[in-house]
Amino acid sequence: MASSKLGFQLGFNKLRHWGVLGLLCSTLPMNSVRSETIVPIADVSQARSVPLPPDSVCMGAEVLTLDHPDVQSLQSLIRQYELNLPATWSLDGPTITRFEFTQALVWVTQQEITFKPADQQRLAKLIERYQNSRLNDNQPGGPVGKLKQFGARPSPTGAMPAPLMPTPITPPMPAGSIGMPAPANIRTNQMPIGRTPNPMPQPEPNEEPWRTPQQPGNTEGYSPIDENPFLRPASNPLSTFSIDVDTASYSNVRRMITEGTTPPKDAVRLEEFINYFPYNYAKPQGDQPFSVNTGVTAAPWNPQHKLVRIGLQGQQLATPPPSNLVFLLDVSGSMNAPNKLPLLKQSVCLLVQQLSAQDKVSIVVYAGNAGLVLPPTSGDQKQKIMAAIDQIEAGGSTAGGEGIELAYKQAQSAFLKDGNNRVILATDGDFNVGPSSDGELVRMIEAKRDRGIFLTVLGFGTGNYKDSKMEQLADKGNGNYAYIDTIGEAKKVLGEDLRGTLFTIAKDVKIQVEFNPAKVQAYRLIGYENRALRDQDFNDDRKDAGEIGAGHRVTALYEIVPTGVNDVKIPAIDPLKYQKVDPAVNAASGIASDSDELMQVKLRYKAPNSDTSQLIAKAIVDRVSDADPDTQFASSVALFGMILRDSEYKGQAGIPDVLRLATAGQADDRNGYRSEFMRIVKQYDRLEDTKKPQ
């Protein structure tokens, strides 16, 4: 039986190549602009009634349901030929965008497999349907020639349909990125699925043309993290911290593992790992903006210890308020890479799809100068907004401070008194603040925050990524911070998590825990190191803290050493001379030592438009129960983070324990996030195996 091998001869080197969806960007050079000038966009004023071109970057934001015949056809081929999609790609969620579908289709076409003739025809039809007219390649040995093997029909003009991917001219971009090839463990040359792509000699292009010869190869920046130690309640009875709903650390580390790189320890923030995943917490009752869910189980990495989970569930909004959004897009030269500006534009398109006529959208860009691309525009003029997005291109140096000032000016001009006013900064973080210092920039963001304009930060890219600066800006701006490494992550952050991302229901949320020394010999907060507050800050309404959005979930874990267990080294202090405590009574609270209370949790929060906090208090009883699936999964994620950090607190636990807990806690995985986590863990395990002496 005649057969052909399907493949576009794509190489698998270290970092980047122009993926199909990156090349879908319909970009035109952007004129140099002065601050507050309008960047000329051709025909944008008429874009509301004019359909977007078929190769528009925003066309990929179209959502396909899983029962779509094309999706089912591709899924059946994947099952039939026993192909395993790369770790960060999933067709498991309730919907799939055109971006994601095309990405998966490209990947299937790259596998060195002998397809049956009928399946070749199925693939050829899908290729025709999802092709891009601008990606013509009529070279004899090029991708179009490959399509002829599958019976691809000529277009009405007589030309062969354009391929999904041109012959590459640069090395592959990080795995999981838009329209990129199946990820190998790139530095180990191991395919996660055990298959080898078609090899092809690669040129040695300048992978990062924006980088000067004097610049070091990797300038990514992360703030140092000193893990929380075990503390004694006798000398440290209170644990106080600000809640955190950021997720950037998990998706950024996932990107590194998918690339085949061991992440630096300081890139791993355990609270952001844990809070990346949704958990099934009870909904809030009455007029409280969130519920408090608690539980006590045995610590899986040390059964003699206890693991206490504190979970907050934000209230959903039946009718979200209108939004005044200003997209502040970094278009400097450092964004000139497929996993930066092209992915950024595709991500913004996904958010635009969610907007209504009550919403207002502005677009500000910054490079050498800042410029206004789109003045405040109604959210129902989607084609006008997308046409503006389509024509943005990277180039020039970076003047981030000037761009932020202009973005806040636009947000103030369209301010909605009873709405959500927010600047959304999308960047790799590699920017200079211009004439202003970092301190002045932070103070400006804080001042705008106090006037009701919040800041969300979206991170993109590799090599020069400035995580520490971006986390600080989002923290000071009462916003959240996410890292977008794939179009799937963009869909999660700006599609599925949209309400929680944009609509704040409680601000300056602080947690303070008091431990009963009769029950607790020592305790340790897992993560939240850079969210620690002084104990007196809990009652100080002037102190800034974290925000909870509509539907947001926040989880914190404490590891408890029960009284009488002496298996860890706990910092000791000399006996106190003047502080006399009756051993039968906790003097601070008046609670008898025979009480069954393990600890008391107090929370303070403010309504979005209030400057006065409210208090919630709840006691946690010392009653150990079997871990529910959510607790098992959260502990699995925490343990994986401790392994990545090579934490002294992980004990003898290893990757098999992570996978055992994750399997037990997989439960309802409607969006496929937990399955993806397990694939990432396995990929990391394979990566570490390659480093062991053979």
mmCIF file with all atom_site columns, all heavy atoms in Angstrom, residues 492-513:
data_model
loop_
_atom_site.group_PDB
_atom_site.id
_atom_site.type_symbol
_atom_site.label_atom_id
_atom_site.label_alt_id
_atom_site.label_comp_id
_atom_site.label_asym_id
_atom_site.label_entity_id
_atom_site.label_seq_id
_atom_site.pdbx_PDB_ins_code
_atom_site.Cartn_x
_atom_site.Cartn_y
_atom_site.Cartn_z
_atom_site.occupancy
_atom_site.B_iso_or_equiv
_atom_site.pdbx_formal_charge
_atom_site.auth_seq_id
_atom_site.auth_comp_id
_atom_site.auth_asym_id
_atom_site.auth_atom_id
_atom_site.pdbx_PDB_model_num
ATOM 1   N N   . LYS A 1 492 ? -6.249  30.823 29.564 1.00 0.00 ? 492 LYS A N   1
ATOM 2   C CA  . LYS A 1 492 ? -6.557  30.665 30.988 1.00 0.00 ? 492 LYS A CA  1
ATOM 3   C C   . LYS A 1 492 ? -6.598  32.015 31.686 1.00 0.00 ? 492 LYS A C   1
ATOM 4   O O   . LYS A 1 492 ? -7.540  32.329 32.414 1.00 0.00 ? 492 LYS A O   1
ATOM 5   C CB  . LYS A 1 492 ? -5.514  29.767 31.652 1.00 0.00 ? 492 LYS A CB  1
ATOM 6   C CG  . LYS A 1 492 ? -5.700  29.599 33.164 1.00 0.00 ? 492 LYS A CG  1
ATOM 7   C CD  . LYS A 1 492 ? -4.584  28.748 33.755 1.00 0.00 ? 492 LYS A CD  1
ATOM 8   C CE  . LYS A 1 492 ? -4.833  28.474 35.232 1.00 0.00 ? 492 LYS A CE  1
ATOM 9   N NZ  . LYS A 1 492 ? -4.789  29.684 36.077 1.00 0.00 ? 492 LYS A NZ  1
ATOM 10  N N   . VAL A 1 493 ? -5.552  32.824 31.470 1.00 0.00 ? 493 VAL A N   1
ATOM 11  C CA  . VAL A 1 493 ? -5.420  34.079 32.207 1.00 0.00 ? 493 VAL A CA  1
ATOM 12  C C   . VAL A 1 493 ? -6.440  35.114 31.745 1.00 0.00 ? 493 VAL A C   1
ATOM 13  O O   . VAL A 1 493 ? -7.079  35.784 32.562 1.00 0.00 ? 493 VAL A O   1
ATOM 14  C CB  . VAL A 1 493 ? -3.988  34.634 32.053 1.00 0.00 ? 493 VAL A CB  1
ATOM 15  C CG1 . VAL A 1 493 ? -3.878  36.045 32.638 1.00 0.00 ? 493 VAL A CG1 1
ATOM 16  C CG2 . VAL A 1 493 ? -2.984  33.710 32.717 1.00 0.00 ? 493 VAL A CG2 1
ATOM 17  N N   . LEU A 1 494 ? -6.616  35.246 30.428 1.00 0.00 ? 494 LEU A N   1
ATOM 18  C CA  . LEU A 1 494 ? -7.435  36.329 29.885 1.00 0.00 ? 494 LEU A CA  1
ATOM 19  C C   . LEU A 1 494 ? -8.792  35.858 29.381 1.00 0.00 ? 494 LEU A C   1
ATOM 20  O O   . LEU A 1 494 ? -9.594  36.677 28.924 1.00 0.00 ? 494 LEU A O   1
ATOM 21  C CB  . LEU A 1 494 ? -6.683  37.021 28.752 1.00 0.00 ? 494 LEU A CB  1
ATOM 22  C CG  . LEU A 1 494 ? -5.370  37.679 29.175 1.00 0.00 ? 494 LEU A CG  1
ATOM 23  C CD1 . LEU A 1 494 ? -4.648  38.274 27.989 1.00 0.00 ? 494 LEU A CD1 1
ATOM 24  C CD2 . LEU A 1 494 ? -5.607  38.727 30.240 1.00 0.00 ? 494 LEU A CD2 1
ATOM 25  N N   . GLY A 1 495 ? -9.042  34.572 29.446 1.00 0.00 ? 495 GLY A N   1
ATOM 26  C CA  . GLY A 1 495 ? -10.339 34.045 29.048 1.00 0.00 ? 495 GLY A CA  1
ATOM 27  C C   . GLY A 1 495 ? -11.069 33.445 30.228 1.00 0.00 ? 495 GLY A C   1
ATOM 28  O O   . GLY A 1 495 ? -11.994 34.023 30.788 1.00 0.00 ? 495 GLY A O   1
ATOM 29  N N   . GLU A 1 496 ? -10.596 32.295 30.677 1.00 0.00 ? 496 GLU A N   1
ATOM 30  C CA  . GLU A 1 496 ? -11.274 31.567 31.745 1.00 0.00 ? 496 GLU A CA  1
ATOM 31  C C   . GLU A 1 496 ? -11.197 32.296 33.082 1.00 0.00 ? 496 GLU A C   1
ATOM 32  O O   . GLU A 1 496 ? -12.136 32.273 33.867 1.00 0.00 ? 496 GLU A O   1
ATOM 33  C CB  . GLU A 1 496 ? -10.676 30.166 31.861 1.00 0.00 ? 496 GLU A CB  1
ATOM 34  C CG  . GLU A 1 496 ? -10.892 29.321 30.613 1.00 0.00 ? 496 GLU A CG  1
ATOM 35  C CD  . GLU A 1 496 ? -9.929  28.150 30.519 1.00 0.00 ? 496 GLU A CD  1
ATOM 36  O OE1 . GLU A 1 496 ? -9.216  27.893 31.508 1.00 0.00 ? 496 GLU A OE1 1
ATOM 37  O OE2 . GLU A 1 496 ? -9.888  27.498 29.458 1.00 0.00 ? 496 GLU A OE2 1
ATOM 38  N N   . ASP A 1 497 ? -10.056 32.929 33.389 1.00 0.00 ? 497 ASP A N   1
ATOM 39  C CA  . ASP A 1 497 ? -9.882  33.613 34.670 1.00 0.00 ? 497 ASP A CA  1
ATOM 40  C C   . ASP A 1 497 ? -10.168 35.105 34.574 1.00 0.00 ? 497 ASP A C   1
ATOM 41  O O   . ASP A 1 497 ? -9.763  35.872 35.444 1.00 0.00 ? 497 ASP A O   1
ATOM 42  C CB  . ASP A 1 497 ? -8.447  33.421 35.179 1.00 0.00 ? 497 ASP A CB  1
ATOM 43  C CG  . ASP A 1 497 ? -8.128  31.970 35.474 1.00 0.00 ? 497 ASP A CG  1
ATOM 44  O OD1 . ASP A 1 497 ? -9.067  31.163 35.534 1.00 0.00 ? 497 ASP A OD1 1
ATOM 45  O OD2 . ASP A 1 497 ? -6.948  31.643 35.648 1.00 0.00 ? 497 ASP A OD2 1
ATOM 46  N N   . LEU A 1 498 ? -10.865 35.515 33.523 1.00 0.00 ? 498 LEU A N   1
ATOM 47  C CA  . LEU A 1 498 ? -11.009 36.943 33.254 1.00 0.00 ? 498 LEU A CA  1
ATOM 48  C C   . LEU A 1 498 ? -11.639 37.695 34.414 1.00 0.00 ? 498 LEU A C   1
ATOM 49  O O   . LEU A 1 498 ? -11.146 38.743 34.833 1.00 0.00 ? 498 LEU A O   1
ATOM 50  C CB  . LEU A 1 498 ? -11.840 37.157 31.984 1.00 0.00 ? 498 LEU A CB  1
ATOM 51  C CG  . LEU A 1 498 ? -12.113 38.616 31.620 1.00 0.00 ? 498 LEU A CG  1
ATOM 52  C CD1 . LEU A 1 498 ? -10.821 39.291 31.200 1.00 0.00 ? 498 LEU A CD1 1
ATOM 53  C CD2 . LEU A 1 498 ? -13.143 38.719 30.507 1.00 0.00 ? 498 LEU A CD2 1
ATOM 54  N N   . ARG A 1 499 ? -12.735 37.188 34.950 1.00 0.00 ? 499 ARG A N   1
ATOM 55  C CA  . ARG A 1 499 ? -13.412 37.934 36.017 1.00 0.00 ? 499 ARG A CA  1
ATOM 56  C C   . ARG A 1 499 ? -12.513 38.099 37.232 1.00 0.00 ? 499 ARG A C   1
ATOM 57  O O   . ARG A 1 499 ? -12.407 39.174 37.804 1.00 0.00 ? 499 ARG A O   1
ATOM 58  C CB  . ARG A 1 499 ? -14.701 37.212 36.404 1.00 0.00 ? 499 ARG A CB  1
ATOM 59  C CG  . ARG A 1 499 ? -15.783 37.318 35.351 1.00 0.00 ? 499 ARG A CG  1
ATOM 60  C CD  . ARG A 1 499 ? -17.112 36.826 35.878 1.00 0.00 ? 499 ARG A CD  1
ATOM 61  N NE  . ARG A 1 499 ? -18.170 36.964 34.893 1.00 0.00 ? 499 ARG A NE  1
ATOM 62  C CZ  . ARG A 1 499 ? -19.456 36.762 35.156 1.00 0.00 ? 499 ARG A CZ  1
ATOM 63  N NH1 . ARG A 1 499 ? -19.827 36.400 36.362 1.00 0.00 ? 499 ARG A NH1 1
ATOM 64  N NH2 . ARG A 1 499 ? -20.361 36.908 34.217 1.00 0.00 ? 499 ARG A NH2 1
ATOM 65  N N   . GLY A 1 500 ? -11.877 37.010 37.634 1.00 0.00 ? 500 GLY A N   1
ATOM 66  C CA  . GLY A 1 500 ? -10.997 37.106 38.782 1.00 0.00 ? 500 GLY A CA  1
ATOM 67  C C   . GLY A 1 500 ? -9.793  37.977 38.518 1.00 0.00 ? 500 GLY A C   1
ATOM 68  O O   . GLY A 1 500 ? -9.236  38.592 39.427 1.00 0.00 ? 500 GLY A O   1
ATOM 69  N N   . THR A 1 501 ? -9.373  38.041 37.263 1.00 0.00 ? 501 THR A N   1
ATOM 70  C CA  . THR A 1 501 ? -8.220  38.855 36.905 1.00 0.00 ? 501 THR A CA  1
ATOM 71  C C   . THR A 1 501 ? -8.551  40.341 36.967 1.00 0.00 ? 501 THR A C   1
ATOM 72  O O   . THR A 1 501 ? -7.736  41.154 37.398 1.00 0.00 ? 501 THR A O   1
ATOM 73  C CB  . THR A 1 501 ? -7.736  38.503 35.487 1.00 0.00 ? 501 THR A CB  1
ATOM 74  O OG1 . THR A 1 501 ? -7.366  37.123 35.455 1.00 0.00 ? 501 THR A OG1 1
ATOM 75  C CG2 . THR A 1 501 ? -6.542  39.335 35.094 1.00 0.00 ? 501 THR A CG2 1
ATOM 76  N N   . LEU A 1 502 ? -9.746  40.711 36.547 1.00 0.00 ? 502 LEU A N   1
ATOM 77  C CA  . LEU A 1 502 ? -10.060 42.123 36.360 1.00 0.00 ? 502 LEU A CA  1
ATOM 78  C C   . LEU A 1 502 ? -10.908 42.736 37.466 1.00 0.00 ? 502 LEU A C   1
ATOM 79  O O   . LEU A 1 502 ? -10.803 43.935 37.712 1.00 0.00 ? 502 LEU A O   1
ATOM 80  C CB  . LEU A 1 502 ? -10.781 42.313 35.018 1.00 0.00 ? 502 LEU A CB  1
ATOM 81  C CG  . LEU A 1 502 ? -9.994  41.959 33.757 1.00 0.00 ? 502 LEU A CG  1
ATOM 82  C CD1 . LEU A 1 502 ? -10.827 42.252 32.531 1.00 0.00 ? 502 LEU A CD1 1
ATOM 83  C CD2 . LEU A 1 502 ? -8.685  42.732 33.698 1.00 0.00 ? 502 LEU A CD2 1
ATOM 84  N N   . PHE A 1 503 ? -11.777 41.969 38.105 1.00 0.00 ? 503 PHE A N   1
ATOM 85  C CA  . PHE A 1 503 ? -12.776 42.564 38.993 1.00 0.00 ? 503 PHE A CA  1
ATOM 86  C C   . PHE A 1 503 ? -12.445 42.283 40.451 1.00 0.00 ? 503 PHE A C   1
ATOM 87  O O   . PHE A 1 503 ? -12.650 41.192 40.960 1.00 0.00 ? 503 PHE A O   1
ATOM 88  C CB  . PHE A 1 503 ? -14.170 42.050 38.644 1.00 0.00 ? 503 PHE A CB  1
ATOM 89  C CG  . PHE A 1 503 ? -14.529 42.268 37.200 1.00 0.00 ? 503 PHE A CG  1
ATOM 90  C CD1 . PHE A 1 503 ? -14.771 41.191 36.364 1.00 0.00 ? 503 PHE A CD1 1
ATOM 91  C CD2 . PHE A 1 503 ? -14.589 43.537 36.663 1.00 0.00 ? 503 PHE A CD2 1
ATOM 92  C CE1 . PHE A 1 503 ? -15.086 41.380 35.027 1.00 0.00 ? 503 PHE A CE1 1
ATOM 93  C CE2 . PHE A 1 503 ? -14.893 43.743 35.327 1.00 0.00 ? 503 PHE A CE2 1
ATOM 94  C CZ  . PHE A 1 503 ? -15.138 42.659 34.507 1.00 0.00 ? 503 PHE A CZ  1
ATOM 95  N N   . THR A 1 504 ? -11.911 43.271 41.136 1.00 0.00 ? 504 THR A N   1
ATOM 96  C CA  . THR A 1 504 ? -11.530 43.140 42.543 1.00 0.00 ? 504 THR A CA  1
ATOM 97  C C   . THR A 1 504 ? -12.761 43.210 43.429 1.00 0.00 ? 504 THR A C   1
ATOM 98  O O   . THR A 1 504 ? -13.578 44.129 43.303 1.00 0.00 ? 504 THR A O   1
ATOM 99  C CB  . THR A 1 504 ? -10.541 44.257 42.932 1.00 0.00 ? 504 THR A CB  1
ATOM 100 O OG1 . THR A 1 504 ? -9.375  44.144 42.120 1.00 0.00 ? 504 THR A OG1 1
ATOM 101 C CG2 . THR A 1 504 ? -10.158 44.158 44.390 1.00 0.00 ? 504 THR A CG2 1
ATOM 102 N N   . ILE A 1 505 ? -12.900 42.230 44.339 1.00 0.00 ? 505 ILE A N   1
ATOM 103 C CA  . ILE A 1 505 ? -14.025 42.236 45.276 1.00 0.00 ? 505 ILE A CA  1
ATOM 104 C C   . ILE A 1 505 ? -13.566 42.525 46.704 1.00 0.00 ? 505 ILE A C   1
ATOM 105 O O   . ILE A 1 505 ? -14.380 42.871 47.560 1.00 0.00 ? 505 ILE A O   1
ATOM 106 C CB  . ILE A 1 505 ? -14.807 40.911 45.242 1.00 0.00 ? 505 ILE A CB  1
ATOM 107 C CG1 . ILE A 1 505 ? -13.901 39.732 45.603 1.00 0.00 ? 505 ILE A CG1 1
ATOM 108 C CG2 . ILE A 1 505 ? -15.447 40.699 43.878 1.00 0.00 ? 505 ILE A CG2 1
ATOM 109 C CD1 . ILE A 1 505 ? -14.644 38.422 45.748 1.00 0.00 ? 505 ILE A CD1 1
ATOM 110 N N   . ALA A 1 506 ? -12.270 42.376 46.986 1.00 0.00 ? 506 ALA A N   1
ATOM 111 C CA  . ALA A 1 506 ? -11.726 42.702 48.309 1.00 0.00 ? 506 ALA A CA  1
ATOM 112 C C   . ALA A 1 506 ? -10.262 43.068 48.136 1.00 0.00 ? 506 ALA A C   1
ATOM 113 O O   . ALA A 1 506 ? -9.520  42.372 47.443 1.00 0.00 ? 506 ALA A O   1
ATOM 114 C CB  . ALA A 1 506 ? -11.872 41.522 49.264 1.00 0.00 ? 506 ALA A CB  1
ATOM 115 N N   . LYS A 1 507 ? -9.852  44.151 48.752 1.00 0.00 ? 507 LYS A N   1
ATOM 116 C CA  . LYS A 1 507 ? -8.458  44.593 48.638 1.00 0.00 ? 507 LYS A CA  1
ATOM 117 C C   . LYS A 1 507 ? -7.792  44.608 50.009 1.00 0.00 ? 507 LYS A C   1
ATOM 118 O O   . LYS A 1 507 ? -8.461  44.531 51.044 1.00 0.00 ? 507 LYS A O   1
ATOM 119 C CB  . LYS A 1 507 ? -8.385  45.978 47.992 1.00 0.00 ? 507 LYS A CB  1
ATOM 120 C CG  . LYS A 1 507 ? -8.988  47.101 48.834 1.00 0.00 ? 507 LYS A CG  1
ATOM 121 C CD  . LYS A 1 507 ? -8.880  48.450 48.120 1.00 0.00 ? 507 LYS A CD  1
ATOM 122 C CE  . LYS A 1 507 ? -9.432  49.574 48.986 1.00 0.00 ? 507 LYS A CE  1
ATOM 123 N NZ  . LYS A 1 507 ? -9.351  50.898 48.328 1.00 0.00 ? 507 LYS A NZ  1
ATOM 124 N N   . ASP A 1 508 ? -6.471  44.693 49.990 1.00 0.00 ? 508 ASP A N   1
ATOM 125 C CA  . ASP A 1 508 ? -5.664  44.720 51.213 1.00 0.00 ? 508 ASP A CA  1
ATOM 126 C C   . ASP A 1 508 ? -6.059  43.576 52.151 1.00 0.00 ? 508 ASP A C   1
ATOM 127 O O   . ASP A 1 508 ? -6.320  43.775 53.342 1.00 0.00 ? 508 ASP A O   1
ATOM 128 C CB  . ASP A 1 508 ? -5.800  46.065 51.927 1.00 0.00 ? 508 ASP A CB  1
ATOM 129 C CG  . ASP A 1 508 ? -5.196  47.205 51.124 1.00 0.00 ? 508 ASP A CG  1
ATOM 130 O OD1 . ASP A 1 508 ? -4.350  46.915 50.262 1.00 0.00 ? 508 ASP A OD1 1
ATOM 131 O OD2 . ASP A 1 508 ? -5.575  48.375 51.337 1.00 0.00 ? 508 ASP A OD2 1
ATOM 132 N N   . VAL A 1 509 ? -6.076  42.371 51.589 1.00 0.00 ? 509 VAL A N   1
ATOM 133 C CA  . VAL A 1 509 ? -6.463  41.181 52.360 1.00 0.00 ? 509 VAL A CA  1
ATOM 134 C C   . VAL A 1 509 ? -5.233  40.637 53.074 1.00 0.00 ? 509 VAL A C   1
ATOM 135 O O   . VAL A 1 509 ? -4.220  40.299 52.449 1.00 0.00 ? 509 VAL A O   1
ATOM 136 C CB  . VAL A 1 509 ? -7.071  40.105 51.450 1.00 0.00 ? 509 VAL A CB  1
ATOM 137 C CG1 . VAL A 1 509 ? -7.541  38.911 52.279 1.00 0.00 ? 509 VAL A CG1 1
ATOM 138 C CG2 . VAL A 1 509 ? -8.233  40.679 50.638 1.00 0.00 ? 509 VAL A CG2 1
ATOM 139 N N   . LYS A 1 510 ? -5.322  40.555 54.399 1.00 0.00 ? 510 LYS A N   1
ATOM 140 C CA  . LYS A 1 510 ? -4.219  40.074 55.235 1.00 0.00 ? 510 LYS A CA  1
ATOM 141 C C   . LYS A 1 510 ? -4.685  38.886 56.066 1.00 0.00 ? 510 LYS A C   1
ATOM 142 O O   . LYS A 1 510 ? -5.859  38.809 56.444 1.00 0.00 ? 510 LYS A O   1
ATOM 143 C CB  . LYS A 1 510 ? -3.734  41.181 56.178 1.00 0.00 ? 510 LYS A CB  1
ATOM 144 C CG  . LYS A 1 510 ? -3.459  42.513 55.517 1.00 0.00 ? 510 LYS A CG  1
ATOM 145 C CD  . LYS A 1 510 ? -3.284  43.601 56.573 1.00 0.00 ? 510 LYS A CD  1
ATOM 146 C CE  . LYS A 1 510 ? -3.236  44.988 55.961 1.00 0.00 ? 510 LYS A CE  1
ATOM 147 N NZ  . LYS A 1 510 ? -3.226  46.056 56.988 1.00 0.00 ? 510 LYS A NZ  1
ATOM 148 N N   . ILE A 1 511 ? -3.758  38.011 56.349 1.00 0.00 ? 511 ILE A N   1
ATOM 149 C CA  . ILE A 1 511 ? -4.036  36.851 57.203 1.00 0.00 ? 511 ILE A CA  1
ATOM 150 C C   . ILE A 1 511 ? -3.096  36.902 58.392 1.00 0.00 ? 511 ILE A C   1
ATOM 151 O O   . ILE A 1 511 ? -1.899  37.168 58.242 1.00 0.00 ? 511 ILE A O   1
ATOM 152 C CB  . ILE A 1 511 ? -3.846  35.528 56.437 1.00 0.00 ? 511 ILE A CB  1
ATOM 153 C CG1 . ILE A 1 511 ? -4.853  35.421 55.289 1.00 0.00 ? 511 ILE A CG1 1
ATOM 154 C CG2 . ILE A 1 511 ? -3.972  34.331 57.370 1.00 0.00 ? 511 ILE A CG2 1
ATOM 155 C CD1 . ILE A 1 511 ? -4.727  34.144 54.473 1.00 0.00 ? 511 ILE A CD1 1
ATOM 156 N N   . GLN A 1 512 ? -3.643  36.648 59.570 1.00 0.00 ? 512 GLN A N   1
ATOM 157 C CA  . GLN A 1 512 ? -2.827  36.516 60.776 1.00 0.00 ? 512 GLN A CA  1
ATOM 158 C C   . GLN A 1 512 ? -3.265  35.260 61.519 1.00 0.00 ? 512 GLN A C   1
ATOM 159 O O   . GLN A 1 512 ? -4.453  35.075 61.812 1.00 0.00 ? 512 GLN A O   1
ATOM 160 C CB  . GLN A 1 512 ? -2.958  37.730 61.688 1.00 0.00 ? 512 GLN A CB  1
ATOM 161 C CG  . GLN A 1 512 ? -1.987  37.702 62.864 1.00 0.00 ? 512 GLN A CG  1
ATOM 162 C CD  . GLN A 1 512 ? -1.944  39.030 63.598 1.00 0.00 ? 512 GLN A CD  1
ATOM 163 O OE1 . GLN A 1 512 ? -2.825  39.331 64.403 1.00 0.00 ? 512 GLN A OE1 1
ATOM 164 N NE2 . GLN A 1 512 ? -0.906  39.827 63.339 1.00 0.00 ? 512 GLN A NE2 1
ATOM 165 N N   . VAL A 1 513 ? -2.297  34.387 61.787 1.00 0.00 ? 513 VAL A N   1
ATOM 166 C CA  . VAL A 1 513 ? -2.576  33.113 62.448 1.00 0.00 ? 513 VAL A CA  1
ATOM 167 C C   . VAL A 1 513 ? -1.895  33.110 63.807 1.00 0.00 ? 513 VAL A C   1
ATOM 168 O O   . VAL A 1 513 ? -0.704  33.443 63.918 1.00 0.00 ? 513 VAL A O   1
ATOM 169 C CB  . VAL A 1 513 ? -2.074  31.925 61.602 1.00 0.00 ? 513 VAL A CB  1
ATOM 170 C CG1 . VAL A 1 513 ? -2.343  30.610 62.315 1.00 0.00 ? 513 VAL A CG1 1
ATOM 171 C CG2 . VAL A 1 513 ? -2.736  31.935 60.226 1.00 0.00 ? 513 VAL A CG2 1
#
